[in-house]
Amino acid sequence: MNNIFPYYFKIKKNSSTFLLGIVFLFSCTDSKNEAVFFTADLTDFVVDTLYLEKDTLTKSLPHELVFLEQNGKSFLFGTVGRRMYQYSYPSGKLEGTVDFEIEGPDGIGGFVSGSLITEDGIFFISDQKAIIHTDFHGKVLDRYSLPKVPEERLAVNFSVVNGNRMHYDKEKRQLILADVPFVLKEPNMVYKDWVWKYDLENRLAEPISFSYPEIYNAYYDDPELGVYAHTFLDIGNFHLVSFPVTDSLLVMDGKSTKWIGSKSTTPLIFQKGKVDQDGGYTVFSPSWKTSRYKWVIFEPMSKLILRYIDIETKVSESGKIHNKSSFILHNLDFETIAELFFDNRQIAPSGFATPNGYFFKLLNPDSDDREAYIKVGLNF
């Protein structure tokens, strides 16, 4: 890693004053043990930049990677499609790639809708039929049939789209994965079994159930405003569900269910997309102007919950596209601490944790030979 910021992240003259003000603000309220809400730019908290090498076959590196230690060394692993990348950490040197086969005894299928890298290997969601477990060299270790869902579910879609990351518990040998609607349909409003807990040891799956709020009757057939995002936090055993037009988060812990406020300070405009017929196909087109609450990230070092919001996208008279996005920050008591703003056309809205920081990918690389990831310090 280098203490060098990309050219478009210039440190503001008043940044030290700003950060000092935050420290003072929190120290003044520490005796009351209360969080004081503030707004700022995400780039104000950039503390370092990590560069990862690219080979000539790679167009773009993944937004999310996984930190693992193997044989006393530290690595980052990531996948794009059926290719896995392995990097030394923190040097960013590319150690190797693995291309997984489509067919045969070690085939992972022609359509992979999600993957999860763990210390026990990699889990792929394959062809909406199976979970395939492989090692780090491309060998298939096991195959598990996906849970059976009733016909009224309509178009099952086990996937990691829209921030619906899988979660793996090594001790329990348990995998959590989501069935995400392409678009919301009327029968889906009475359906509840959206997320599944899979016992790999006994090959048994059981649902984690929740329902869409009634307001989503108004958002059928929209590929943005009808799609939930689920995140599991093993710290506290919380399931968090973010709905795209709801300014609260659904929190479930197996014993109780509650809603916690998670609202942007910026007024949001929710604009439904349209449905077109193109020959024999139905095309669902979201509105690119709409606001939407998206997924949830957990930052383990600071123990903060980040809810991503795509606030607005505009086109200037010159034709340049401008985006305004933010993260709503919550602590583990679900108090709202801050809202940090950024441009999702410059900074990826999902990232990854390492033992010494959380990283987000920069989306406008200044070189064909490497890509940059900024480390943000959120230890308030």
Side-chain angles (χ1 to χ4, degrees), residues 102-126:
I102 297 176
E103 300 177 338
D106 291 318
I108 63 169
F111 175 64
V112 173
S113 55
S115 63
L116 177 67
I117 299 171
T118 75
E119 58 185 308
D120 286 346
I122 307 159
F123 295 92
F124 294 94
I125 302 174
S126 173

Side-chain angles (χ1 to χ4, degrees), residues 191-318:
Y191 189 74
K192 294 183 178 181
D193 297 341
W194 295 109
V195 176
W196 291 80
K197 182 167 55 177
Y198 206 125
D199 180 345
L200 301 176
E201 189 71 35
N202 298 301
R203 297 178 182 267
L204 297 173
E206 62 176 285
I208 298 163
S209 302
F210 60 88
S211 300
Y212 269 82
E214 188 175 348
I215 189 176
Y216 289 88
N217 287 321
Y219 295 101
Y220 297 150
D221 296 332
D222 190 299
E224 282 287 342
L225 301 184
V227 182
Y228 73 85
H230 165 268
T231 300
F232 177 72
L233 305 186
D234 48 12
I235 181 170
N237 195 38
F238 293 121
H239 293 270
L240 306 180
V241 184
S242 175
F243 294 98
V245 304
T246 304
D247 59 11
S248 301
L249 285 173
L250 178 63
V251 181
M252 303 177 290
D253 64 3
K255 300 176 183 178
S256 63
T257 298
K258 64 181 179 181
W259 292 90
I260 60 111
S262 186
K263 183 178 181 179
S264 176
T265 57
T266 302
L268 304 183
I269 298 175
F270 301 110
Q271 182 172 312
K272 188 177 177 180
K274 60 181 181 178
V275 180
D276 297 311
Q277 297 297 323
D278 184 3
Y281 296 93
T282 301
V283 180
F284 302 100
S285 302
S287 168
W288 63 270
K289 295 181 180 180
T290 189
S291 307
R292 59 268 212 189
Y293 290 98
K294 300 286 281 183
W295 51 78
V296 174
I297 297 169
F298 180 63
E299 204 286 86
M301 285 193 66
S302 58
K303 293 183 172 56
L304 290 176
I305 298 164
L306 284 66
R307 188 189 195 189
Y308 164 44
I309 309 169
D310 190 340
I311 296 172
E312 65 177 0
T313 301
K314 293 182 177 180
V315 180
S316 66
E317 292 182 359
S318 63

Side-chain angles (χ1 to χ4, degrees), residues 11 24 31 82 100 107 170 181 214 217 226 250 298 321 366 373:
I11 300 175
F24 176 75
S31 61
R82 287 184 294 274
F100 292 86
K170 178 180 175 65
E214 188 175 348
N217 287 321
L250 178 63
F298 180 63
I321 299 175
D366 56 3
Y373 296 76

